[in-house]
Amino acid sequence: MPEKQSVTQAETVHTGCGRTISVSRFVPAGLPAAMGRVVLDTVCEPFDSDEVWASLTPEEARRIAALLLFQAEAVEPTPPGRAGHAEALPISGDAYEVTVRGHVLTVDQPIGDGGHDTAPTPVELFVAAMTSCVAHYAGRFLDRHGIVRKGLHVTADYTMASERPARVASLTILVDVPALPPSRASAMQAVISHCTVKNTLEAPPEITITLSGIGGRSRAASGQEAAGQEPRVRLSR
């Protein structure tokens, strides 16, 4: 098949049923990138007879789904939003749709806290941001030194403060890197200890929370009437 010549490097999942499934993408030569396709591929195994099938564990299914979504985004990227900007809009109850640079996330609250538990909480996303930031720095370190990422696994455990104000009291992150030579351990520790999210926590930004559109008025109108003095809450470091 000619299009196969432009297939990207495939990511593979080896299933417990003995199947190897690969996910990649291709763009036919001479056509726009939007004409690309996501490729889900496997091969006939000796145990196959009249049909090819796969029995997936939930973990395997989530992994393949994540790879499919990743490749779909690459073929048909989301229109870029404004950098340095995020928006949150209510969906239902405590669930909100959050848009960041064109990407859409959802947050909710656990059922025990009055939500419907359809998505992580904002605090859990904060922990996830820290965890994934460390993973990103770890992966880039491995790439720079020609070390495979296979087996890289980053986990985080956190506790909430028992007293007010409500906040995360402790956060412990474990980075498991089976392929890392001992001689590189100290260098990698230094790199992952200075990921951007951690740096931000250690040198906190000034945070300003401003009310706008009060009483149905636009933010601009409110600012004009109050000569620029809108109700404001400033969170200092």
Side-chain angles (χ1 to χ4, degrees):
M1 178 174 175
E3 292 88 345
K4 286 283 186 180
Q5 296 176 359
S6 41
V7 172
T8 61
Q9 181 176 354
E11 297 283 349
T12 58
V13 175
H14 302 286
T15 71
C17 68
R19 182 80 60 196
T20 297
I21 299 174
S22 64
V23 182
S24 60
R25 66 182 184 274
F26 73 85
V27 178
L31 294 178
M35 294 295 291
R37 293 293 182 267
V38 177
V39 180
L40 179 66
D41 198 13
T42 190
V43 297
C44 289
E45 301 290 352
F47 52 78
D48 290 320
S49 54
D50 297 332
E51 59 184 14
V52 176
W53 56 270
S55 177
L56 306 176
T57 66
E59 180 180 357
E60 292 165 352
R62 283 191 291 268
R63 174 62 177 162
I64 292 172
L67 291 173
L68 288 169
L69 290 172
F70 173 79
Q71 296 293 359
E73 185 71 13
V75 170
E76 189 178 49
T78 302
R82 177 155 58 96
H85 180 75
E87 294 183 12
L89 294 172
I91 300 174
S92 176
D94 288 321
Y96 287 81
E97 177 183 280
V98 183
T99 305
V100 183
R101 207 169 42 78
H103 302 283
V104 179
L105 310 171
T106 55
V107 296
D108 201 347
Q109 295 295 322
I111 293 175
D113 291 335
H116 294 283
D117 205 18
T118 60
T121 69
V123 172
E124 289 167 340
L125 283 188
F126 158 72
V127 174
M130 182 70 189
T131 308
S132 55
C133 190
V134 170
H136 168 68
Y137 273 63
R140 286 292 180 88
F141 179 91
L142 296 176
D143 289 349
R144 284 196 301 273
H145 295 281
I147 304 170
V148 296
R149 296 192 186 197
K150 185 176 181 179
L152 174 63
H153 186 205
V154 183
T155 57
D157 292 285
Y158 71 99
T159 60
M160 299 297 295
S162 57
E163 73 282 353
R164 293 184 179 278
R167 66 194 186 281
V168 173
S170 67
L171 176 57
T172 302
I173 295 179
L174 177 64
V175 183
D176 190 13
V177 200
L180 184 69
S183 60
R184 297 284 189 185
S186 59
M188 185 171 189
Q189 179 70 51
V191 168
I192 62 178
S193 295
H194 292 87
C195 79
T196 305
V197 176
K198 183 172 182 289
N199 290 344
T200 303
L201 294 174
E202 294 178 337
E206 181 178 294
I207 301 174
T208 301
I209 301 176
T210 302
L211 292 174
S212 68
I214 302 170
R217 296 172 296 174
S218 68
R219 180 172 181 174
S222 297
Q224 291 170 357
E225 292 178 15
Q229 301 300 313
E230 295 178 331
R232 185 176 296 259
V233 180
R234 183 178 296 278
L235 306 181
S236 57
R237 296 182 183 180

